[in-house]
Amino acid sequence: MRHGWQGVTLKLLGGKDFTFTVRSNEQVSEHLRRLRFGDGGMLGVTGVHPTMWVRLWFERAGRPHQRGYTLVDPDPETGTFAMEFTLHTGPAGDWARGARPGDTIHATVQGTAFAPPDPPPSRLLVVGDPASRPAINSLLESMPSTPARIWFETPDPARERGIPRHGAPDREVVHVPRRDGGAHLVRTVRSELPEHLGPASYVWIACDTVTTRTLAAFVRKELGVPRERLHALGYWRAT
Ligand SMILES: Cc1cc2nc3c(=O)[nH]c(=O)nc-3n(C[C@H](O)[C@H](O)[C@H](O)COP(=O)(O)OP(=O)(O)OC[C@H]3O[C@@H](n4cnc5c(N)ncnc54)[C@H](O)[C@@H]3O)c2cc1C
């Protein structure tokens, strides 16, 4: 598949292309599929870091569409990893529903870099949702003894699996129902986050693009958190 102008731009930015092969496809729940892949040599070239993600290429109506997905349990020794697809009615979700062992998918690695906060944070303050759950898990696993508070937006709190607390004495998940296109999450975080913020906190935000942008501006401009203590990336576009 040709990757169009987006592919050309990513190449200019140093993007590396790989082809993954589906090993298995498990329906975890009505809304979630877990696929395991052979990495096409990627992990040996790129290594692994917390919250690592790649751009997968899907074709629809003869046009390429790229979507970000996070590596789950990457294993450089066996050259395998999994991905957890929250299912929607777009090219990625449709592909994940039908993928079978032996199917291949193109991927580009560009933009995933994540530098662990230095100095290590006294507390992680995380805002996310099902799309960023694999990245949140990875972030928490990379700092197993750091206290954390996670505001986790869910379309239906009863439906979602919790996210790990990983043994730290002070880790709390606050389930926030998705309401008003993300505005309820914004209100909740605006009112609750400041009391948990300390000078050595690290704030990590990954929700829909508008919510992420709004909360990142709040944290940086109104709360004065320095750039290097904040990571914010929109994971999906609400339509
Ligand atoms: C760095 C990064 C890592 C990511 N990692 C993961 C991951 O590991 N697992 C994962 O499931 N997603 C992940 N995402 C999000 C995923 O790329 C998007 O949800 C993507 O838009 C889904 O593509 P699609 O083709 O299925 O649907 P699209 O064609 O993009 O959208 C179809 C419809 O579904 C809606 N929609 C799309 N995504 C969501 C969503 N997350 N929640 C609610 N409605 C949605 C859209 O608004 C639209 O109406 C990641 C995104 C980024 C940027």
Side-chain angles (χ1 to χ4, degrees):
M1 186 206 318
R2 292 182 176 276
H3 300 163
W5 61 266
Q6 292 180 326
V8 173
T9 308
L10 289 170
K11 263 267 173 310
L12 289 172
L13 292 171
K16 294 187 177 71
D17 295 333
F18 299 92
T19 302
F20 303 151
T21 304
V22 176
R23 294 274 180 93
S24 61
N25 185 347
E26 176 196 356
Q27 179 96 43
V28 177
S29 70
E30 188 189 346
H31 303 280
L32 188 68
R33 274 186 180 267
R34 189 174 215 265
L35 278 72
R36 196 143 192 99
F37 294 91
D39 74 347
M42 178 186 72
L43 297 175
V45 174
T46 59
V48 175
H49 59 260
T51 75
M52 183 170 174
W53 60 278
V54 302
R55 300 162 194 266
L56 298 182
W57 295 94
F58 304 93
E59 195 170 331
R60 175 164 284 187
R63 290 183 49 215
H65 298 268
Q66 57 155 309
R67 302 282 188 263
Y69 281 87
T70 305
L71 305 194
V72 174
D73 299 336
D75 181 353
E77 280 197 14
T78 58
T80 61
F81 58 85
M83 284 178 179
E84 293 184 351
F85 288 74
T86 308
L87 300 173
H88 307 286
T89 51
D94 292 348
W95 181 85
R97 281 183 188 89
R100 292 162 184 267
D103 287 356
T104 57
I105 183 108
H106 291 176
T108 301
V109 182
Q110 200 284 322
T112 175
F114 175 76
D118 181 21
S122 57
R123 177 173 294 272
L124 285 165
L125 300 172
V126 175
V127 189
D129 65 19
S132 53
R133 180 174 45 214
I136 296 170
N137 289 343
S138 168
L139 183 73
L140 294 177
E141 280 167 16
S142 73
M143 293 177 233
S145 55
T146 307
R149 188 171 182 89
I150 302 119
W151 289 269
F152 192 66
E153 187 191 50
T154 59
D156 171 6
R159 182 181 101 183
E160 297 303 334
R161 292 184 311 167
I163 59 170
R165 292 163 191 235
H166 276 282
D170 183 12
R171 282 192 169 170
E172 195 166 355
V173 180
V174 181
H175 285 271
V176 183
R178 182 166 174 86
R179 281 195 211 128
D180 309 330
H184 180 56
L185 178 66
V186 170
R187 283 192 295 270
T188 305
V189 172
R190 282 185 70 99
S191 88
E192 293 182 6
L193 186 139
E195 68 183 275
H196 298 280
L197 191 67
S201 303
Y202 185 77
V203 184
W204 192 97
I205 306 171
C207 318
D208 73 73
T209 47
V210 173
T211 303
T212 302
R213 213 171 22 242
T214 306
L215 286 176
F218 166 66
V219 168
R220 217 172 38 239
K221 295 181 186 151
E222 294 186 43
L223 300 181
V225 171
R227 238 167 234 289
E228 64 276 12
R229 304 306 283 180
L230 166 69
H231 173 91
L233 180 62
Y235 267 35
W236 58 281
R237 207 170 288 277
T239 55

